[in-house]
Amino acid sequence: MNLLQSTLNNAFISISRNKLINFLSFGIIAFTLLIFGIFNYLSYSLETFANEFSKNIEAIFYFKDNVEQPEIDLLLKKLKESLLVEDVTFSSRDQAEIAFSRQFPELKYILSEFKTSPFPASIEVKFKQEYNIGTKVISFIEDIEKLSIIESKQVNLDWAQKVMAIKKFISLVGMFLSMILIFVSAFIIFNLIKLNIFYRKEEINIYRLVGATDWYIKIPFIIEGALLGFFGSIMACGLLFITLKLFPAYATFMYNIFKDMISFKNIPLILFLRLLLLGTGIGLLSSYISVRQFLKN
Amino acid sequence: MIEFYHVFKQYVKDQYALFDISLSIQKGEFVFLTGASGAGKSTLLKLIFKEELPSKGQILVNSSNINLIPQKELYLLRRDIGIVFQDFKLLANRTVYENVAIPLVVRGEKKSAIDKMVIKVLAQVGLSHRKNYFPTHISGGEQQRVAIARAIVGNPKIVIADEPTGNLDTELSIEVFRIFEKINANGITTIIATHDLHLLNMFPKRTLKLEQGKFTSSTPTGPAEVTL
Ligand SMILES: Nc1ncnc2c1ncn2[C@@H]1O[C@H](COP(=O)(O)OP(=O)(O)O)[C@@H](O)[C@H]1O
Ligand SMILES: [Mg+2]
């Protein structure tokens, strides 16, 4: 217990010693994580939005002319078994013809020109309206469309697909930016720890000569890095919260649509958890590397 | 207890800080190491606690070959040896008490145990009244005694001191030597490097004399019992 206490003490002492540079690295970590958090949140919101938009999804798949009934039955069975599907209706070529003539009685004479029904057989699929399955439904539909027995499809989903594309793009940009910033933060912490090691060289030397273990000397520096990352991420969580609360007010004023599109109401807790883990992780890892490099002996 | 077998030390090529040194110091012995400045006294002491490595030769401390001690276990050797450095190596931002406590703190001793030991050794070196002072606010002689207190606080088997009276006047030097005699009387092997001939005469002990990295021909390098 005493060992742990003095270790923590040392870490705090050395954080409070180099206030400026500590503040700087603290700031850059907070900024990095804020950017990471904002992009994370944006892609989360867009996905939520896409999911909401893709409620009431209905898709009609038209079969090719030469498709045999067993193949159709197989697909029907597969669709009925899918957890995403609410209801499936098959209509044969003849049924399509009947439906047509019922809907447009004055055009009935056209049909008599054909020996067999000119309409393709089709299945109409109604998807479940559960929250959060929209994106899964989209890829499910894409999979079915690729089947060799399907000629074409008709879906009320264009919007959701576009939103998903935007989401993918934003995730990519966010990942790229975050990676650069994470690297910069790690580099700064690495150097900060290096500086602290050199600053405490005399003390470290004395500790070694009076019989301190390697870990006794190393751990405070690693903890220092982890603490920096941890507090940086707490700061980032606060900033993220404020940003996400303030921005909608501005957005309402500027673009009403945009505000509707991105639901700022609920910020997922997992996002904050992710920030905390990432921040602490960055701090821990970069200080560990620094210690390995500069506290060899 | 401490044995050197044909130990050589080169810091730079073709220049020997120590040349073919063999010696044996028994448990509980009091040994002076003497010789002019640059003769190799500090180097010899540093080899004992592995701050420097020999270029050639074997060194045994407490019957283990210290060449073979891995870096991870070096702390165990260091805990057996109390060192009084020539430049004291006190931390300026810690009080006398805190400086003396360091060897116990790094061992993870309990606060109460640390307190007991530190108070005890500060009394032993006559510095109880200075325990809350910072090193820069006490005299050189007092700093020297803080360094001694720190060297003995962890109950070492060996105490090593490098010119502990270098900056002190004769009266203070005698006082410091008396402290070492008391330490030695508790069974702790004591090795002191000094070039103060006056003090050597006042405290007749076994003396190893270095000259340009070699023992002078008259120096008995075996244990005292053998040479008496
Ligand atoms: N770190 C070092 N690098 C190079 N030469 C050194 C180093 N330490 C000591 N020496 C040299 O080794 C010799 C012995 O030095 P030292 O052991 O300090 O002698 P003493 O303590 O008797 O004055 C000297 O010639 C000194 O210049
Ligand atoms: Mg010397």
Side-chain angles (χ1 to χ4, degrees):
Chain A
M1 254 359 251
N2 189 21
L3 208 61
L4 181 73
Q5 205 181 334
S6 71
T7 320
L8 276 173
N9 261 354
N10 282 347
F12 275 113
I13 287 169
S14 100
I15 285 178
S16 65
R17 193 161 33 208
N18 296 316
K19 283 199 187 71
L20 183 72
I21 180 129
N22 268 296
F23 184 75
L24 205 84
S25 45
F26 177 74
I28 189 95
I29 295 164
F31 178 72
T32 299
L33 294 169
L34 178 63
I35 295 295
F36 174 82
I38 286 176
F39 273 96
N40 235 278
Y41 182 73
L42 273 180
S43 72
Y44 161 81
S45 301
L46 287 169
E47 183 162 347
T48 310
F49 175 67
N51 279 331
E52 298 236 343
F53 208 87
S54 47
K55 278 181 180 172
N56 308 313
I57 305 174
E58 285 180 27
I60 302 172
F61 297 99
Y62 296 100
F63 291 103
K64 286 181 182 156
D65 272 349
N66 55 352
V67 175
E68 305 284 336
Q69 193 62 36
E71 285 178 288
I72 292 174
D73 288 343
L74 207 68
L75 179 63
L76 276 173
K77 189 166 169 269
K78 190 184 151 197
L79 284 170
K80 277 174 187 157
E81 279 169 0
S82 167
L83 295 172
L84 300 171
V85 173
E86 175 82 46
D87 192 26
V88 187
T89 333
F90 172 73
S91 76
S92 67
R93 303 178 63 158
D94 293 339
Q95 282 168 325
E97 190 178 351
I98 293 164
F100 180 84
S101 49
R102 200 175 289 150
Q103 219 169 343
F104 308 101
E106 63 278 16
L107 295 176
K108 223 169 162 178
Y109 69 94
I110 296 173
L111 296 174
S112 55
E113 304 277 315
F114 297 94
K115 278 202 190 93
T116 57
S117 163
F119 299 102
S122 65
I123 38 173
E124 190 181 331
V125 185
K126 269 200 185 120
F127 288 96
K128 284 189 182 148
Q129 294 203 13
E130 273 163 43
Y131 180 73
N132 234 0
I133 62 170
T135 46
K136 281 184 203 151
V137 169
I138 291 171
S139 53
F140 186 75
I141 289 173
E142 280 166 1
D143 284 347
I144 293 177
E145 196 192 355
K146 281 181 204 134
L147 296 176
S148 61
I149 53 171
I150 300 295
E151 172 76 45
S152 65
K153 71 156 202 299
Q154 210 181 310
V155 196
N156 57 346
L157 249 185
D158 284 1
W159 249 97
Q161 269 166 324
K162 274 182 192 136
V163 171
M164 283 310 286
I166 296 173
K167 182 231 150 181
K168 269 182 195 154
F169 176 71
I170 286 193
S171 296
L172 220 71
V173 172
M175 230 147 77
F176 181 70
L177 255 178
S178 302
M179 237 134 88
I180 292 176
L181 283 168
I182 284 171
F183 187 78
V184 170
S185 310
F187 184 74
I188 286 179
I189 295 182
F190 172 84
N191 277 292
L192 178 75
I193 299 300
K194 170 183 164 181
L195 211 74
N196 274 336
I197 288 171
F198 283 101
Y199 190 84
R200 293 181 54 192
K201 226 178 168 122
E202 188 198 356
E203 197 177 331
I204 291 167
N205 188 35
I206 291 172
Y207 281 9
R208 283 225 165 90
L209 288 167
V210 300
T213 60
D214 263 12
W215 283 113
Y216 181 86
I217 292 167
K218 283 176 181 171
I219 282 173
F221 293 105
I222 297 174
I223 288 181
E224 189 187 336
L227 283 178
L228 260 173
F230 179 71
F231 287 119
S233 55
I234 285 189
M235 179 84 182
C237 286
L239 287 174
L240 183 68
F241 187 77
I242 293 168
T243 310
L244 296 184
K245 286 287 161 195
L246 284 186
F247 188 69
Y250 171 76
T252 320
F253 182 64
M254 294 301 286
Y255 323 89
N256 239 321
I257 311 160
F258 189 61
K259 188 225 161 192
D260 275 351
M261 196 166 104
I262 298 173
S263 51
F264 285 94
K265 282 154 269 170
N266 48 346
I267 306 166
L269 265 174
I270 185 92
L271 184 55
F272 292 122
L273 205 69
R274 222 179 271 169
L275 288 188
L276 286 178
L277 277 177
L278 185 67
T280 313
I282 294 170
L284 204 70
L285 196 70
S286 36
S287 57
Y288 177 72
I289 294 171
S290 193
V291 159
R292 267 188 67 128
Q293 182 124 357
F294 301 108
L295 268 180
K296 273 188 191 132
N297 193 2
Chain B
M1 193 89 203
I2 299 172
E3 284 168 293
F4 279 48
Y5 294 100
H6 304 289
V7 171
F8 296 74
K9 175 66 184 178
Q10 280 171 290
Y11 288 106
V12 283
K13 212 166 166 258
D14 299 327
Q15 220 174 307
Y16 286 93
L18 290 176
F19 190 91
D20 197 15
I21 294 293
S22 293
L23 64 81
S24 166
I25 295 169
Q26 291 294 79
K27 184 174 168 13
E29 254 194 291
F30 193 121
V31 178
F32 281 126
L33 186 62
T34 187
S37 178
K41 301 184 293 296
S42 297
T43 302
L44 195 152
L45 296 181
K46 283 175 186 168
L47 289 176
I48 298 173
F49 51 87
K50 215 180 172 183
E51 194 181 0
E52 293 289 349
L53 299 172
S55 311
K56 223 173 108 184
Q58 307 297 321
I59 298 166
L60 301 181
V61 176
N62 299 334
S63 51
S64 72
N65 186 334
I66 66 168
N67 284 356
L68 305 180
I69 297 177
Q71 170 68 25
K72 278 204 162 10
E73 286 166 25
L74 188 56
Y75 73 95
L76 291 169
L77 173 74
R78 301 273 170 83
R79 287 179 186 185
D80 275 343
I81 304 174
I83 311 159
V84 182
F85 301 96
Q86 199 162 357
D87 56 356
F88 309 152
K89 291 198 197 299
L90 301 177
L91 289 172
N93 58 356
R94 314 267 182 107
T95 63
V96 165
Y97 180 98
E98 287 164 344
N99 267 287
V100 172
I102 291 172
L104 301 177
V105 172
V106 305
R107 274 166 231 212
E109 298 278 1
K110 283 206 187 73
K111 250 199 170 70
S112 56
I114 292 175
D115 199 53
K116 219 171 108 188
M117 275 308 284
V118 173
I119 300 272
K120 188 181 135 197
V121 294
L122 281 178
Q124 220 172 319
V125 299
L127 277 182
S128 302
H129 60 299
R130 291 280 187 253
K131 76 178 181 132
N132 294 321
Y133 282 59
F134 286 93
T136 43
H137 295 159
I138 59 178
S139 72
E142 286 170 330
Q143 288 176 30
Q144 180 64 267
R145 282 183 281 153
V146 176
I148 295 171
R150 189 185 59 194
I152 60 174
V153 77
N155 264 326
K157 299 193 176 90
I158 301 164
V159 165
I160 287 171
D162 197 353
E163 314 226 15
T165 59
N167 316 308
L168 306 181
D169 58 41
T170 312
E171 211 168 306
L172 282 173
S173 299
I174 293 170
E175 205 179 307
V176 165
F177 271 44
R178 292 251 151 79
I179 293 171
F180 281 115
E181 274 194 316
K182 272 188 211 149
I183 291 168
N184 181 243
N186 290 328
I188 299 172
T189 312
T190 309
I191 306 165
I192 299 175
T194 180
H195 56 245
D196 193 329
L197 295 176
H198 179 66
L199 283 167
L200 288 175
N201 287 331
M202 277 190 68
F203 294 84
K205 307 278 182 193
R206 178 178 166 206
T207 303
L208 301 171
K209 187 157 193 252
L210 279 167
E211 230 167 66
Q212 295 179 349
K214 296 175 196 166
F215 284 133
T216 53
S217 51
S218 61
T219 302
T221 53
E225 287 90 333
V226 179
T227 55
L228 278 174

